[in-house]
Amino acid sequence: MHDDLIARATAWLAEDPDTETRDELAKLIEAGDVTELAARFSGTLQFGTAGLRGELGAGPMRMNRSVVIRAAAGLAAYLKGKGQTDGLVVIGYDARHKSADFARDTAAVMTGAGLRAAVLPHPLPTPVLAYAIRHLGAVAGVEVTASHNPPRDNGYKVYLGDGSQIVPPADAEIAAEIDAVRSLDDVPRPDSGWETLDGAVLDAYLARTDAVLSDGSPRTARTVYTAMHGVGKDVLLAAFARAGFPEPVLVAEQAEPDPDFPTVAFPNPEEPGAMDLAFARARETDPDLIIANDPDADRCAVAVKESGEWRMLRGDEVGALLAAHLVRRGAQGTFAESIVSSSLLGRIAEKAGLPYEETLTGFKWIARVEGLRYGYEEALGYCVDPDGVRDKDGITAALLITELASELKEQGRTLPDLLDDLAVEHGLHATDQLSVRVEDLSVIADAMGRLRERPPTELAGLAITKAEDLTRGTDRLPPTDGLRYTLDGARVIVRPSGTEPKLKCYLEVVVPVAAHADLPAAHARATALLATIKRDLSAAAGI
């Protein structure tokens, strides 16, 4: 076993084109560090519907240039197998460690395979890449990003020519082509031959952002903005300037790209503490709302002032506010969301007489809904211009929520006031999440197994009226690893995360509200119910 491990590591080292990871691996081999080598050579990073994502480092279980070159070669072979022999592949990247290298390697591999490649001019938001695919008529797109993962991670996200992320069976077909790459020496990688795009694609994207706003709408809401050390700042500021909004006040410490994300434990607006600097800036400047993007700016977080304190709106709250705003503006088309998002969207769509669809988790599914006009999921992802970007877009979502805040401001009202109106109209839909991060993935498998073997019959005293194992699929959904419980006045979904070592449980309770005066009691009941459901579910899953 030891000799085999050393032999595999030595063979990998001989091919590795990166001096940094070569040095790292050579030291591990020299030290005979079997534990660390085993962790890196116990398999290969799996290419799935999120593409690749993992920790940077040497070896097939890490993100590095060797792994990326193989992934690019597999994608090129897949495209050529589909008859796209000279199609254009457009490549974007964020500001993480190694992102520019991975983008360049991808362009070289595509060029060597006879495809045409074009790389965005510098680190830009993921939605600009998603836009560029359709704008340029590309057959595929690659975004090098790990979104809001920790600093040590990077990733590789693949889109096809429709501008949306890959779904089965394309992921498995590309993975098979990656596995078929025997040696990096078999992958031609010329030093030139691809195009580096100029600013025209970004200009076209920015021109398109205007389309999400209504002509002549108020543009008065004042914002504090944080880019969370990512790539969103320049594009968001340009979009806000074009729209005529007041210039956002920046959280200076987080405004510029920094792959080490020095001010946050996790560069995700949802994580505790990530918004502390933004809240501090807001207390100094008293804006109407706070806007945050995640590092690749495809997500948008919103915070508001309530009873003198700043609080983050949940993704479901922003999702409902944007839906209500679009309905009031007369939007036509299908409203869609993932199964883990609040059922309030369905109520809003139904009352407006609009088609509504539920999909599996992930924008790769939401973006494929026929006739899509608006889609969102609770993890702060919103698609408000599906004809331009068939993916979540934190820039256009920020514009639209700021337009809504401006309209309410003109009426002497706020975003929380509109949320109250929606609760009275449709019932208070309160959501929460029980999320468990693990070191050992078997903890997740054990919890799912426990729930399947001994499913709960009630949670928080509410009877479970329907229990579904989503691995079997439903009449509306393809199979996925998840469990869904419908309760009397509540809903729970349990699933392993597709991008992080987490077990996620999504909880929703619906409390009827007769009038505005009943809201405080409804909120108290919802909070108590969610806490008890969380406790009972933890016990049932053994987590």
Side-chain angles (χ1 to χ4, degrees):
M1 171 64 192
H2 174 266
D3 291 346
D4 177 50
L5 200 54
I6 296 292
R8 273 187 290 150
T10 306
W12 183 274
L13 178 67
E15 287 191 345
D16 192 335
D18 188 324
T19 52
E20 219 174 298
T21 45
R22 282 175 65 84
D23 290 349
E24 182 187 316
L25 188 52
K27 284 185 182 124
L28 291 174
I29 294 170
E30 199 180 326
D33 189 337
V34 178
T35 308
E36 189 58 35
L37 287 170
R40 290 155 184 263
F41 286 85
S42 58
T44 56
L45 270 189
Q46 288 305 299
F47 185 91
T49 50
L52 293 167
R53 204 178 281 189
E55 190 176 336
L56 289 163
M61 287 297 287
R62 298 286 185 268
M63 281 297 294
N64 51 62
R65 290 183 59 200
S66 299
V67 163
V68 164
I69 289 164
R70 288 170 181 276
L75 174 60
Y78 167 83
L79 292 170
K80 289 168 78 172
K82 295 290 183 193
Q84 311 282 9
T85 47
D86 62 347
L88 173 69
V89 179
V90 61
I91 301 148
Y93 58 103
D94 68 11
R96 283 176 177 267
H97 293 296
K98 299 284 184 189
S99 287
D101 294 342
F102 295 167
R104 180 188 162 85
D105 283 331
T106 301
V109 170
M110 295 303 160
T111 305
L115 292 150
R116 291 177 296 126
V119 185
L120 292 179
H122 49 82
L124 282 165
T126 294
V128 177
L129 180 275
Y131 168 79
I133 294 164
R134 297 174 75 186
H135 178 67
L136 298 172
V139 297
V142 170
E143 177 69 18
V144 180
T145 181
S147 187
H148 55 274
N149 274 40
R152 64 177 184 271
D153 289 3
N154 212 327
Y156 198 81
K157 193 184 279 193
V158 176
Y159 297 75
L160 293 180
D162 61 356
S164 50
Q165 295 172 52
I166 52 169
V167 294
D171 57 343
E173 291 171 16
I174 295 168
E177 295 286 4
I178 294 169
D179 290 344
V181 177
R182 299 194 62 78
S183 163
L184 291 194
D185 297 335
D186 301 338
V187 182
R189 300 197 304 283
D191 290 329
S192 61
W194 58 90
E195 181 186 359
T196 299
L197 295 164
D198 59 18
V201 167
L202 178 57
D203 290 343
Y205 168 82
L206 284 167
R208 175 101 206 166
T209 61
D210 300 352
V212 306
L213 303 173
S214 296
D215 288 343
S217 63
R219 311 278 166 94
T220 54
R222 291 167 45 253
T223 54
V224 158
Y225 171 71
T226 174
M228 205 66 65
H229 299 297
V231 298
K233 182 198 73 172
D234 291 347
V235 178
L236 183 127
L237 289 181
F240 269 57
R242 287 181 66 101
F245 287 113
E247 185 177 351
V249 173
L250 298 178
V251 178
E253 303 93 325
Q254 299 175 332
E256 299 304 326
D258 187 332
D260 294 319
F261 305 104
T263 67
V264 289
F266 286 95
N268 177 355
E270 292 178 293
E271 292 282 347
M275 295 289 287
D276 287 356
L277 288 171
F279 290 161
R281 199 81 181 94
R283 285 192 283 271
E284 293 164 11
T285 56
D286 198 30
D288 297 297
L289 70 164
I290 299 172
I291 299 281
N293 285 138
D294 67 338
D296 68 328
D298 62 351
R299 295 164 198 254
C300 174
V302 180
V304 296
K305 201 173 186 180
E306 266 186 326
S307 311
E309 291 295 320
W310 285 94
R311 83 161 178 99
M312 275 275 289
L313 291 178
R314 301 192 74 85
D316 285 317
E317 291 177 306
V318 177
L321 287 167
L322 291 174
H325 185 44
L326 289 168
V327 163
R328 206 191 54 70
R329 277 179 21 183
Q332 292 297 309
T334 302
F335 279 28
E337 64 180 341
S338 59
I339 55 170
V340 299
S341 305
S342 169
S343 58
L344 177 55
L345 185 70
R347 304 268 180 103
I348 291 170
E350 185 183 14
K351 185 151 191 192
L354 294 172
Y356 164 77
E357 286 285 336
E358 224 180 22
T359 74
L360 292 183
T361 309
F363 258 84
K364 56 187 177 277
W365 300 107
I366 294 170
R368 285 183 155 71
V369 167
E370 210 169 306
L372 181 68
R373 174 59 187 87
Y374 168 63
Y376 97 91
E377 71 177 3
E378 53 70 51
L380 311 183
Y382 313 94
C383 173
V384 299
D385 176 25
D387 291 342
V389 176
R390 289 200 88 78
D391 197 6
K392 52 189 178 292
D393 182 346
I395 306 294
T396 47
L399 287 170
L400 199 62
I401 198 75
T402 309
E403 178 185 61
L404 173 57
S406 299
E407 288 188 0
L408 292 165
K409 185 179 182 178
E410 299 296 295
Q411 302 160 20
R413 304 178 75 232
T414 64
L415 295 171
D417 291 335
L418 181 52
L419 284 171
D420 287 348
D421 292 350
L422 291 171
V424 172
E425 189 175 357
H426 302 287
L428 174 64
H429 289 63
T431 56
D432 201 357
Q433 201 182 109
L434 171 62
S435 181
V436 183
R437 185 180 288 274
V438 300
E439 291 294 320
D440 179 359
L441 289 175
S442 69
V443 174
I444 293 176
D446 291 348
M448 294 297 287
R450 207 171 282 118
L451 288 170
R452 285 190 168 106
E453 284 159 29
R454 293 189 293 283
T457 54
E458 63 167 39
L459 295 167
L462 302 174
I464 292 176
T465 55
K466 189 177 184 185
E468 298 165 279
D469 188 339
L470 299 175
T471 48
R472 303 189 181 104
T474 72
D475 54 349
R476 305 299 299 271
L477 298 168
T480 186
D481 186 9
L483 299 163
R484 177 163 61 179
Y485 303 117
T486 305
L487 297 86
D488 193 10
R491 184 220 62 199
V492 172
I493 291 171
V494 185
R495 59 178 280 273
S497 168
T499 55
E500 297 175 272
K502 280 183 173 181
L503 180 68
K504 291 187 160 185
C505 311
Y506 303 84
L507 325 174
E508 178 178 47
V509 299
V510 183
V511 180
V513 184
H516 279 78
D518 301 322
L519 278 166
H523 277 288
R525 170 154 174 74
T527 302
L529 274 174
L530 286 168
T532 315
I533 290 173
K534 211 184 262 195
R535 185 199 68 202
D536 291 356
L537 186 62
S538 289
I543 51 175

